[in-house]
Amino acid sequence: MISKYEGDLLLTPCPTLLVTSKYDKIENVLTVAWAGIASSKPEYITISINPKRYSYHLIAQSKKFCINIPDRNLLQQVDYCGSHSGRFTDKFSDCGFSKIELADFILIEQCKFYLLCDVENEIDLGSHHLFVARVREKYSNSSEEGQIYRELQPLVYYRPYYFGIKEKILGEYGFSAHR
């Protein structure tokens, strides 16, 4: 028997990302879990941010952001960047992040994969605004080309917990077609 559920919206997994932004010499990093791939050709990403967040205004004004994909070894910093405001502290410094400046973007050197994004649309959805952004360029901080999938130990967020997703491979895309 089913019953009506009144709690938080539950969808999993929610990728745990460090989103960097800058506008008018102000820089910030924010943890975002409400994000996803919107299109693969051309490549589009969406992120959802509450307008009360400090980074929201930087992204809304600059129309740019960088998605930095953190490893599980950055869990403490990821949590810090999602629970502290850049209005009151320099999260780059607090977390010991080394910055890579690339045109109008800031990349966090400690991450392994980066998506440089240009905002093309902003949709007010109530508590959050959805930024629809075209991926301008992708970069990897991997030891060699093609190794990113083996090296990256990404995190996902499932309220209120963080999880690693590479504990055990359960299958590979297209494997069910052969059964």
Side-chain angles (χ1 to χ4, degrees):
M1 180 171 152
I2 65 168
S3 61
K4 190 169 182 177
Y5 176 75
E6 299 292 339
D8 289 334
L9 180 62
L10 299 176
L11 284 178
T12 187
C14 294
T16 304
L17 310 170
L18 291 171
V19 174
T20 52
S21 56
K22 71 178 187 176
Y23 178 72
D24 197 27
K25 299 182 183 178
I26 300 170
E27 305 171 338
N28 198 37
V29 56
L30 170 72
T31 300
V32 171
W34 294 0
I37 297 171
S39 174
S40 57
K41 291 188 190 225
E43 294 175 322
Y44 278 87
I45 295 289
T46 59
I47 61 172
S48 189
I49 301 177
N50 187 313
K52 295 176 185 174
R53 296 289 193 163
Y54 189 59
S55 287
Y56 165 80
H57 300 286
L58 301 178
I59 294 169
Q61 294 295 320
S62 69
K63 304 290 187 206
K64 298 178 186 321
F65 60 86
C66 179
I67 290 177
N68 301 262
I69 301 180
D71 263 323
R72 66 181 343 159
N73 62 338
L74 294 176
L75 178 58
Q76 188 173 13
Q77 292 92 329
V78 164
D79 188 60
Y80 182 86
C81 290
S83 60
H84 290 77
S85 176
R87 282 185 185 94
F88 310 111
T89 188
D90 178 351
K91 292 189 269 185
F92 289 101
S93 177
D94 293 352
C95 292
F97 288 146
S98 301
K99 297 182 213 175
I100 300 171
E101 304 260 350
L102 194 58
D104 295 329
F105 298 92
I106 302 168
L107 288 63
I108 298 172
E109 186 174 0
Q110 288 81 355
C111 292
K112 292 201 180 279
F113 195 69
Y114 315 93
L115 303 172
L116 281 57
C117 301
D118 292 320
V119 174
E120 291 191 3
N121 198 1
E122 178 183 346
I123 304 166
D124 180 348
L125 298 174
S127 68
H128 286 65
H129 286 210
L130 183 75
F131 289 103
V132 179
R134 188 169 189 153
V135 177
R136 178 195 291 190
E137 294 177 317
K138 300 176 285 193
Y139 290 90
S140 170
N141 196 3
S142 179
S143 60
E144 64 180 76
E145 189 68 31
Q147 285 288 99
I148 190 67
Y149 286 107
R150 287 188 281 283
E151 291 181 8
L152 189 61
Q153 297 290 318
L155 300 165
V156 294
Y157 183 70
Y158 189 59
R159 295 180 192 195
Y161 306 106
Y162 299 98
F163 293 92
I165 60 171
K166 284 189 80 171
E167 304 304 317
K168 180 180 176 187
I169 295 173
L170 302 176
E172 187 174 333
Y173 178 77
F175 81 98
S176 62
H178 304 294
R179 295 185 183 230

